[in-house]
Every structure is written in C-alpha cells, then in structure tokens.
Amino acid sequence: MWRITWRRFCRSKLALVALAYIGVVALVALSAPFLAASKSSPIPFGPNDVDVANRLHPPDTQHRLGTDELGRDVLARMIHGARVSLTVGLIATAMSALVGSFLGALAGFYGGAADWIVSRLIEIVLCFPFLFLVLAIVAFFGPSIWTIMLALALTNWTSEARYVRGEVMRLREMEFAHAARASGARDYRIIFRHLLPNALAPVLVSASFGVAYAIVTESALSFLGLGVPLPTATWGSILSSAKEFVEYAWWLIVFPGLAIFMTVAAFNIIGDRFRDALDPRSE
Amino acid sequence: MLTYVVRRLLYGVLTFFGITIAIFVLVHSVPGDPVSFYIGSHGMGALSHAALDEIRREHHLDQPIPQQYGWWLRGIVTFDFGTSFINHRPVTALIAEKLPSTFMLNLVAFLVAALIGVPIGLWSATRSGRTSERASGVAFFLLYSLPSFWVALLLMQLFSVHFHILPLFGMTSDDYLDRGLTSKVADRAMHLILPVVTLAYAQMAIYARFSKSALTEVIRQDFITTARAKGATSAAVLWHHALRNALIPLITLLGLTLPYLVSGSVIVEEIFQWDGIGRLYFDAISTRDYPTILGLSVATAVATLFASLLADILYAVADPRIRLEGK
C-alpha cells in the first residue's frame, strides 16, 4: 500500500518540488552552525554579529540579504531562524500527533463513554480561538520554546484525534482485528500493534498540515513579540523588527516572509497531495 | 426534529461547563498567588497582610476550590467578568465598547470572502480535471499558506508607503471629527480596505476549497447521474440538483469560522492599530490583565458555542437526513 501511495504521490511534480524544498531547508537548518557562524564560514557572519557601520543596509555583495536595525546579517539570522521554525514545527506536531492518536484510538476502539468524553473534549478545544489559547498559555507560563510548543500541541491535537478515531472505528470491525482478538490478543496489543499502524497514513496527512500550522503560528507569536525570547533569531522576529521600518527597509519584510510562506506552503502541499494519493477516488 | 434540537442543546450546556472548567483549571495552574489575578502582581508588595486577606475574602479566595469555581461561574452567567485592573472598568463594558469595530471589520471581510470565494469554488468544481481547475486548486493553497502578518506588511509597504493611496493604520484620520458626513464615510472606508483584504484572502481560499469539494462530492452521486440520464441539460442538473445539495454543508462553516475570525482579528488589529476585541485581548495579555483575559476567553468561547449550535440546528432544518439519523 505504501509503495502505491508513494508512486501516486510522485506523480505530482508540485509535491516533489515541495518535498525537495523542505529537504533543503532541513539541511540548511542542520548545518547552520557551520554555514553562518564566523569570518571563516561560507556566510561570514553569525546570527548575532553586529556590524554597527552598516545598520539597515540594503542587500549588496557583502550582506546578501541586507542587515537589520542593529546591523546583523539578515541571511545569517534567517539560516538560524530555520532551526527554530523546523524544531518548533516538528516537535509540536509530534506531541499533538501522539496525544491525538492516543485519545482518538481510545475513542474509536472503545466507543461509548470513552468516545463521548473525547468528543466533548474536542468540542471544547474547538470553541476557543486558537490564538487566544496560545497567547494565554505563553503569557501565563512565560515565553520559551517549550511553552510555545506545548501551547501549539494543545490547540492542534484535535485534528489527529478525529482522523484516528474515524480510522480505528472502521478498522476494528475488519477481519484482521477480529482475528487478533480471537487469537487472544489484549486490547492494548490490538490497538497499538494492529490498528494504529494501519491508521498511520491519515495521521501523517494531518501532521503535515499540523507542521504548517505550528510554523506559521510560532512566527506570528514572534511577530507579536511573544515568541522564542530574543536574541534568538527567528523568521517571525525579523519581521517583527521590520514593522518599525516599513517605510524603507523592504528587505527586512520580503525575505523572512518569503521563507515562512514557502515553508508553510510546502508542508500544506505535501499534506494535500499525500491525502489525494491515499484516496482511491482521486484517479 | 425537536428531540434533535433538545439533545444538541443539552450537549451545548455540557460543553459550556467544560469550557468554564478548562479556563478555571488553566488559570489555577499558573504559578503564583491567585490574589495577583485581582489586583495585579505589581500591587501586591504595597499592601499589608490584612489588606491582602481582605481582598482574598472579597474574591472568595479563602474558600475551597469548588466553591471558588461556583462563585466565578455565578459571575459569568450574570455577565459579570470582574474589573480590569489596568483601567479599573468592568470587563463587560470594555467588551461592549470594542465589539462594534471588530464586528464591522469581520462582517465586511466575511462578505467579501464568501461572495468571491464560494462562486470561484463552485465554478472550479464544474471544470473538474481541466488545467484551470488544477491551477485554481494550487492557487487556493498558496493563498491559504500566506501568513497574514506578512501580507499586512507588504500591503502597507505597497499601498501606503509606496503609492500613498491608503492610510497606513488606524480606524479614522486625525481630522475625522471636522469632516462632513460623506467625507467621514469615505474616510472610514479607506481605513477598512487593507485590514479587510488581510482578513479576507485566507478565508476566501477556505470557502473556495470547501465549496469546491462539496460540489465535487455531490456531482459524483447517483442522483446526478440519474438526472443526466433522463436528459436534463448540464446547466439544469447543476442549478436544480447539484447546487442545493452542495450549499448545505457551507452552513457548518458558520460555526467553524468564528474562532478563526477572532484569531485573525488579534493579528490584523494589532498591525493596523484597529481598536477592537483582538487588540483589547492582546493588550490584556501584554499587561497581564487577568480579568480581561478571562472574560474575553469565556465570552468568545461561548459565542462560538452558540454559533455552532445554531449551525447544527440550521443544518438539520436544511437537511432531513441529519435530524432523522438518530431514529
């Protein structure tokens, strides 16, 4: 099944471009300490190196993407910002996928009271504007990368839970599940060994959208000044300082925004095409 | 029908309690003395122990947790969210004061998004498989992936800084009060354009995608094939059979959009200095004005609850399959 899905996924050129782009961003993020650190690195600036003589300098051969209001190199800050965006996106989504899959599996497998409780819980979370909850959690517990990831996970587990609930409900009535039960497997073994691995595909679709959500929301928090604390470079925080210089520093607006947009779009496209590849009706 | 509505309402009441308990638990898990919720952490050092005890008694903080929850809930159902400790005014009054400007902004954005998005989505569903359908699908996705705060900055840069045709931010110009009526209306409209565009483009993409998939879903069904088979023209099939069924699911968007709109308002109002609910909330977060944060959270969550109840009931009215499901 995975091979067929993969082949159908590859039929979309756009999806492959998106996947390749994410690969490049991940590589850049991983090699950030070597790419942009000091005078000897390929980009001869660290993210917090201050070049006082060249504050708010437009892009030129020295500073490829210009400098910010303190004279820091925008390209170097963006390379390091990729680390924050990807870390927050992936870890927050992993947390919400774990919680969502677990609760969704319980609800789908046992039905009845378990299903009722999980469904009400989802309903409650969906009543809150997600940004209200995220802002409140970050403000109450202090802005750090961990509270941000926690807040994102808390607002986003519902989509995974709904997907898994539906899948598990369908799968538990299938023959292999009955066979596992007949051969004496316990509930947790049926859920974790037999049902959840088969529900993995929809979780991955939802997780791909989840990463996009987490990245754009983390950037929004940084933009609003409640993100990962300064002086850590994030894409959102570069945009946040651009707010003050909207009148002349176009490079502070265009480049980090483009990075956020393309990364978010890539994860959204991958999720969408993967979902299409899983859907037999999309032929 | 009545049983369905009653059951749905009962669930709504339960969800309401769930919402209040969730907020109460969240607030009580915050580290620090709960008294600071009522007077602000800056005021605590200045007060004597006796005065602090007095405040604790006044706000029922000397009582067990369940009783505290009871007192708090009583406040909520009587629309008493306490007093903001930044400007010492009732939170309810603050909300009532800021609500109209947020409402106006979101209503215009919603209308723009729905009136453009839904027809585009329906149109692209009828062109299934063609290049224009595929291209529009990708375009919706790209539009939806654009971060609103970035779009806002680009719009400001382009239309306010570069071309000087639209105001940078605010709700009215400085000389607003001295103007005549038509000039006032025009001034308001000019200030609305950029925030509305920023709020509307992503919603538009969502409505387009949603109505596209709804119509595509309907077109695949047997009764459409039947209608075609009996010789109806494709326009007639679309208008009489497909469209009515495709538009029903749009009702569910009503319940889903509200929290999304409010979230969008926080960012847009903060950037464009629009004096509404979103900015009130963000200011409350920045100054740790707990009563305002709590009041707004409860108020928006309950408003969403009502919207989704209304959407479900409307859906059942429009689609008999839903209300007969339980029987």
Side-chain angles (χ1 to χ4, degrees):
Chain A
M1 178 212 133
W2 286 106
R3 202 176 301 159
I4 300 172
T5 309
W6 173 245
R7 211 179 302 144
R8 292 163 59 118
F9 181 81
C10 288
R11 225 175 281 163
S12 160
K13 288 201 186 62
L14 192 67
L16 289 179
V17 171
L19 208 57
Y21 171 77
I22 298 295
V24 170
V25 175
L27 265 178
V28 166
L30 281 174
S31 55
F34 313 103
L35 261 181
S38 62
K39 287 215 158 41
S40 52
S41 56
I43 288 134
F45 304 99
N48 291 314
D49 290 355
V50 176
D51 182 355
V52 189
N54 285 318
R55 280 186 292 196
L56 287 175
H57 197 76
D60 62 8
T61 47
Q62 193 191 5
H63 297 282
R64 297 286 161 83
L65 300 182
T67 62
D68 68 2
E69 77 280 10
L70 297 175
R72 294 175 297 194
D73 187 70
V74 172
L75 182 56
R77 285 185 77 70
M78 276 175 59
I79 288 172
H80 284 262
R83 288 168 83 84
V84 177
S85 285
L86 286 189
T87 314
V88 169
L90 294 176
I91 294 183
T93 308
M95 291 199 284
S96 67
L98 280 178
V99 174
S101 306
F102 182 71
L103 290 178
L106 287 186
F109 187 76
Y110 291 106
D115 187 24
W116 195 86
I117 292 172
V118 172
S119 299
R120 295 289 84 73
L121 217 55
I122 292 175
E123 208 175 316
I124 291 167
V125 173
L126 288 182
C127 272
F128 287 100
F130 68 89
L131 206 56
F132 269 32
L133 264 189
V134 172
L135 282 173
I137 293 170
V138 172
F140 286 173
F141 296 95
S144 79
I145 198 161
W146 285 103
T147 41
I148 290 169
M149 292 193 288
L150 199 73
L152 293 173
L154 268 175
T155 49
N156 204 35
W157 61 271
T158 53
S159 66
E160 274 96 359
R162 279 187 300 179
Y163 272 117
V164 171
R165 174 180 170 270
E167 268 307 278
V168 167
M169 258 181 183
R170 190 176 67 82
L171 291 169
R172 75 165 177 201
E173 296 306 330
M174 291 178 66
E175 275 179 14
F176 73 92
H178 287 301
R181 168 156 308 240
S183 60
R186 287 170 200 277
D187 284 357
Y188 70 82
R189 194 178 161 81
I190 300 178
I191 295 177
F192 291 105
R193 286 298 297 257
H194 298 283
L195 299 184
L196 269 183
N198 282 298
L200 187 64
V203 173
L204 286 178
V205 170
S206 162
S208 195
F209 293 129
V211 175
Y213 160 80
I215 290 178
V216 79
T217 311
E218 181 275 320
S219 304
L221 284 178
S222 292
F223 180 79
L224 292 171
L226 279 168
V228 182
L230 297 169
T232 309
T234 68
W235 293 342
S237 68
I238 307 175
L239 271 181
S240 178
S241 55
K243 225 174 356 181
E244 320 288 319
F245 308 102
V246 89
E247 272 146 64
Y248 37 89
W250 58 269
W251 59 92
L252 279 182
I253 299 171
V254 171
F255 300 122
L258 212 54
I260 301 170
F261 165 55
M262 284 170 62
T263 312
V264 169
F267 276 110
N268 275 334
I269 285 169
I270 291 172
D272 184 57
R273 291 301 136 105
F274 190 40
R275 180 174 54 192
D276 282 352
L278 287 169
D279 181 5
R281 285 187 309 180
S282 69
E283 278 296 294
Chain B
M1 183 68 205
L2 195 66
T3 26
Y4 175 82
V5 173
V6 169
R7 198 176 54 197
R8 200 63 199 78
L9 284 176
L10 281 178
Y11 276 178
V13 171
L14 274 168
T15 311
F16 170 74
F17 280 110
I19 288 168
T20 53
I21 290 172
I23 294 178
F24 191 77
V25 168
L26 179 69
V27 166
H28 277 257
S29 54
V30 174
D33 191 330
V35 174
S36 65
F37 280 12
Y38 295 94
I39 54 170
S41 44
H42 356 278
M44 279 194 44
L47 291 168
S48 68
H49 276 287
L52 284 176
D53 282 342
E54 182 58 39
I55 292 166
R56 280 203 183 91
R57 228 185 339 274
E58 193 187 320
H59 292 288
H60 315 288
L61 293 175
D62 52 346
Q63 293 175 8
I65 297 281
Q67 261 97 321
Q68 287 187 33
Y69 172 72
W71 282 107
W72 186 64
L73 197 63
R74 174 184 282 197
I76 288 171
V77 293
T78 54
F79 292 102
D80 176 10
F81 297 122
T83 316
S84 158
F85 53 63
I86 298 302
N87 55 19
H88 306 288
R89 294 182 48 210
V91 173
T92 317
L94 282 176
I95 296 177
E97 186 182 299
K98 309 283 185 190
L99 197 58
S101 44
T102 297
F103 185 75
M104 179 170 75
L105 183 62
N106 280 299
L107 185 69
V108 177
F110 169 78
L111 288 176
V112 168
L115 291 178
I116 300 176
V118 174
I120 291 183
L122 296 176
W123 171 80
S124 71
T126 64
R127 310 190 59 86
S128 172
R130 301 190 207 186
T131 330
S132 55
E133 183 243 347
R134 288 164 167 276
S136 68
V138 174
F140 297 155
F141 242 97
L142 294 181
L143 211 55
Y144 172 72
S145 303
L146 279 169
S148 63
F149 46 93
W150 186 46
V151 171
L153 285 182
L154 290 175
L155 289 172
M156 286 164 112
Q157 167 92 27
L158 203 63
F159 291 100
S160 311
V161 177
H162 225 74
F163 294 126
H164 295 287
I165 40 178
L166 291 172
L168 199 52
F169 45 66
M171 299 206 292
T172 51
S173 301
D174 294 338
D175 59 348
Y176 179 73
L177 290 175
D178 306 328
R179 295 187 178 199
L181 185 65
T182 42
S183 173
K184 272 186 179 170
V185 173
D187 187 50
R188 287 229 162 217
M190 291 296 264
H191 281 83
L192 258 174
I193 294 174
L194 291 187
V196 161
V197 171
T198 312
L199 272 178
Y201 73 87
Q203 276 182 65
M204 194 194 85
I206 293 173
Y207 296 150
R209 273 184 68 81
F210 197 88
S211 46
K212 180 187 163 189
S213 62
L215 186 56
T216 311
E217 194 70 23
V218 171
I219 284 176
R220 280 178 182 154
Q221 285 178 18
D222 288 341
F223 71 89
I224 296 295
T225 320
T226 311
R228 286 228 174 84
K230 75 175 189 195
T233 62
S234 34
V237 171
L238 208 61
W239 276 107
H240 292 288
H241 302 278
L243 219 49
R244 298 170 128 204
N245 285 288
L247 289 176
I248 294 175
L250 280 175
I251 299 174
T252 49
L253 270 186
L254 192 76
L256 296 173
T257 328
L258 193 65
Y260 180 83
L261 288 179
V262 176
S263 289
S265 296
V266 175
I267 293 173
V268 169
E269 289 180 8
E270 185 53 28
I271 297 176
F272 290 105
Q273 302 187 13
W274 193 267
D275 219 3
I277 294 291
R279 209 163 165 224
L280 179 68
Y281 189 78
F282 186 73
D283 288 346
I285 287 280
S286 314
T287 53
R288 300 250 167 167
D289 185 357
Y290 292 106
T292 310
I293 296 172
L294 294 185
L296 268 177
S297 302
V298 176
T300 48
V302 171
T304 307
L305 183 63
F306 271 111
S308 64
L309 277 177
L310 192 68
D312 280 356
I313 291 170
L314 280 177
Y315 202 120
V317 171
D319 190 343
R321 284 169 299 188
I322 300 293
R323 61 175 183 261
L324 296 174
E325 208 173 59
K327 292 196 177 165

